[in-house]
Amino acid sequence: MTAATDTAAPTVTSSTAAEGTAWGILVMLSLSHMLNDTMQSVIAAIYPILKDSFSLDFGQIGLITLCFQVTASVLQPLVGIYTDRHPKPFSLAFGMGSTLIGLLLLSVAPTYGVLLISVGLIGTGSSIFHPESSRMARLASGGRHGLAQSLFQVGGNSGTAFGPLLAAFVVLPNGRSSVAWFSILALIGIGLLTRVGLWGIAHRRARPAPKARPTAGLPRAVVIRSIFVLMLLVFSKNVYLASISSYYTFYLIDTFAMPVKEAQLYLFLFLGSAALGTLVGGPVGDRIGRKAVIWVSILGVLPFSLALPHLGPVGTAIDSVLIGLILSSAFSAILVFAQELVPGRVGMIAGLFFGLAFGFGGLGAAVLGEIADRTSIRTVYEICAWLPAIGLLTVLLPNIRKARG
């Protein structure tokens, strides 16, 4: 299929909207995802500051993550179901506005309760952003669904990596009030997403949505079983990632007496490798199938996760980079696999799986925080090391290409 460049989104022609891969739109969605997740990742990146400012224990840190993840997950399937039936391209800019308000409130929150409200507003913005933006990425894919999802997802993972780095060099030296400067990113995101919304309107006029195509050769029971297996795989991946994003800096500080800024750089290395690995899962899945990517991504990380709690600082850095590279390729493959199982429900599936990712991560962070309080941070990583073994359930997934062939 011939790729069509689409950099002037609001003035897109009908022929451009109806044919090819809209690379300009995919880039804008990826950049918006980067901005969105950069702002969100600041929450976890400033946990050491919040812990000292509000005299929090690890359980309360986990509750902050839970508050964010629950608000970022509960609404997502509902938003997806609604936008599948009633597309709302400008809801993307509205969601970014919620994040903007949450950031400003986070920078001045006087109490722990207000802190939770600010985090909840940021999570609500995420709930609105992910289902519709994922649906728009699929519309702009020109049939290259895995590639489009990976490009969209790499923006989010890049933003998650930049958050700790910016926190180390902006927030740590200047205090929590400097979080307000991140609202500039939200304003840029609102501008980009407004342009995407205009393209979405033009695309709908040029090319009405096709009827959903049934998945050939797959009984309903197989589809339901497969969705459940994919949910368990998301659970495995995101609870393990929650152990890194929420507690990795504390683990490094506690185990190696590492300064906070250096620990933030280690976290950036991990999250940066995760962003890089994201680019692999989608396009490789387009070529060889999603199931093969899921096998390698989930189960393949097990030896490295088992080794992590037993390594020195240099070995920990190298091992965590390998974990990020391997594990991060899973989500794009899982999401597109699920969308192929339930065609015509792109927003609902995106909302469900993004919501599960946030929800499992939040619940995992809360439980792991309590475990850390009762035992130690090291125990958390010894327990989480076995989560990738859930990847063995991939054997229960069907071969969609073979079923359709």
Side-chain angles (χ1 to χ4, degrees), residues 215-231 233 285 288-295 333-334 336-343 353 391-405:
T215 304
L218 292 178
R220 180 182 177 85
V222 173
V223 172
I224 293 174
R225 183 194 69 196
S226 300
I227 292 292
F228 181 70
V229 169
L230 293 173
M231 289 178 179
L233 295 176
I288 69 172
R290 325 288 174 201
K291 187 173 179 179
V293 173
I294 295 170
W295 265 119
I334 289 172
V336 176
F337 195 106
Q339 289 172 340
E340 290 174 347
L341 285 170
V342 190
F353 277 85
L392 289 168
L393 294 175
T394 304
V395 71
L396 299 176
L397 295 176
N399 188 324
I400 294 181
R401 290 187 176 185
K402 183 177 179 180
R404 286 177 175 171

Side-chain angles (χ1 to χ4, degrees), residues 122-380:
I122 297 172
T124 300
S126 180
S127 274
I128 298 171
F129 173 80
H130 283 98
E132 181 67 0
S133 57
S134 183
R135 190 180 69 84
M136 296 290 280
R138 191 174 179 92
L139 287 178
S141 69
R144 303 175 184 181
H145 301 144
L147 174 63
Q149 192 57 231
S150 279
L151 184 59
F152 171 68
Q153 196 63 28
V154 77
N157 284 1
S158 298
T160 301
F162 288 141
L165 191 64
L166 292 173
F169 290 98
V170 176
V171 183
L172 286 177
N174 300 295
R176 180 164 58 96
S177 62
S178 61
V179 170
W181 286 102
F182 287 85
S183 61
I184 296 173
L185 302 182
L187 291 173
I188 295 172
I190 289 171
L192 288 172
L193 292 173
T194 299
R195 291 173 65 85
V196 171
L198 291 171
W199 177 87
I201 293 173
H203 187 279
R204 285 188 63 203
R205 290 172 179 170
R207 188 179 184 181
K211 294 182 178 180
R213 177 168 55 87
T215 304
L218 292 178
R220 180 182 177 85
V222 173
V223 172
I224 293 174
R225 183 194 69 196
S226 300
I227 292 292
F228 181 70
V229 169
L230 293 173
M231 289 178 179
L232 291 176
L233 295 176
V234 170
F235 167 82
S236 167
K237 173 184 178 292
N238 282 86
V239 172
Y240 188 83
L241 288 179
S243 75
I244 301 288
S245 61
S246 295
Y247 303 110
Y248 191 41
T249 53
F250 295 114
Y251 172 77
L252 295 171
I253 293 168
D254 182 69
T255 305
F256 306 117
M258 192 175 290
V260 174
K261 181 175 285 189
E262 187 177 348
Q264 294 283 18
L265 292 176
Y266 270 57
L267 180 59
F268 170 72
L269 282 176
F270 167 79
L271 296 174
S273 67
L276 182 62
T278 302
L279 283 173
V280 176
V284 172
D286 284 339
R287 291 180 176 272
I288 69 172
R290 325 288 174 201
K291 187 173 179 179
V293 173
I294 295 170
W295 265 119
V296 174
S297 182
I298 303 292
L299 193 61
V301 84
L302 183 61
F304 302 100
S305 63
L306 290 172
L308 186 65
H310 308 287
L311 299 172
V314 175
T316 297
I318 296 172
D319 193 57
S320 65
V321 166
L322 293 172
I323 290 172
L325 285 170
I326 298 170
L327 190 59
S328 62
S329 62
F331 190 74
S332 295
I334 289 172
L335 181 58
V336 176
F337 195 106
Q339 289 172 340
E340 290 174 347
L341 285 170
V342 190
R345 297 291 182 267
V346 176
M348 181 192 75
I349 291 296
L352 176 63
F353 277 85
F354 275 113
L356 285 173
F358 284 114
F360 287 147
L363 290 172
V367 172
L368 295 176
E370 290 297 328
I371 293 173
D373 283 333
R374 295 174 184 272
T375 56
S376 68
I377 287 288
R378 182 185 180 89
T379 301
V380 166

Side-chain angles (χ1 to χ4, degrees), residues 21-158:
T21 303
W23 293 106
I25 296 302
L26 290 177
V27 169
M28 280 189 273
L29 286 168
S30 184
L31 287 174
S32 299
H33 201 182
M34 181 185 71
L35 296 173
N36 183 77
D37 285 23
T38 295
M39 293 180 287
Q40 292 176 5
S41 66
V42 168
I43 298 172
I46 65 171
Y47 277 172
I49 293 177
L50 298 178
K51 190 174 188 294
D52 292 337
S53 299
F54 293 93
S55 300
L56 306 178
D57 58 29
F58 285 121
Q60 289 172 308
I61 292 289
L63 185 58
I64 294 174
T65 303
L66 177 63
C67 182
F68 166 70
Q69 304 284 34
V70 167
T71 54
S73 62
V74 171
L75 294 177
Q76 287 206 39
L78 300 178
V79 172
I81 291 171
Y82 181 78
T83 56
D84 277 338
R85 298 178 179 178
H86 311 283
K88 301 291 182 184
F90 292 120
S91 65
L92 294 172
F94 179 81
M96 193 67 75
S98 178
T99 300
L100 170 65
I101 296 171
L103 280 172
L104 294 174
L105 189 58
L106 175 63
S107 68
V108 297
T111 64
Y112 182 67
V114 176
L115 181 65
L116 293 178
I117 292 173
S118 67
V119 169
L121 284 170
I122 297 172
T124 300
S126 180
S127 274
I128 298 171
F129 173 80
H130 283 98
E132 181 67 0
S133 57
S134 183
R135 190 180 69 84
M136 296 290 280
R138 191 174 179 92
L139 287 178
S141 69
R144 303 175 184 181
H145 301 144
L147 174 63
Q149 192 57 231
S150 279
L151 184 59
F152 171 68
Q153 196 63 28
V154 77
N157 284 1
S158 298

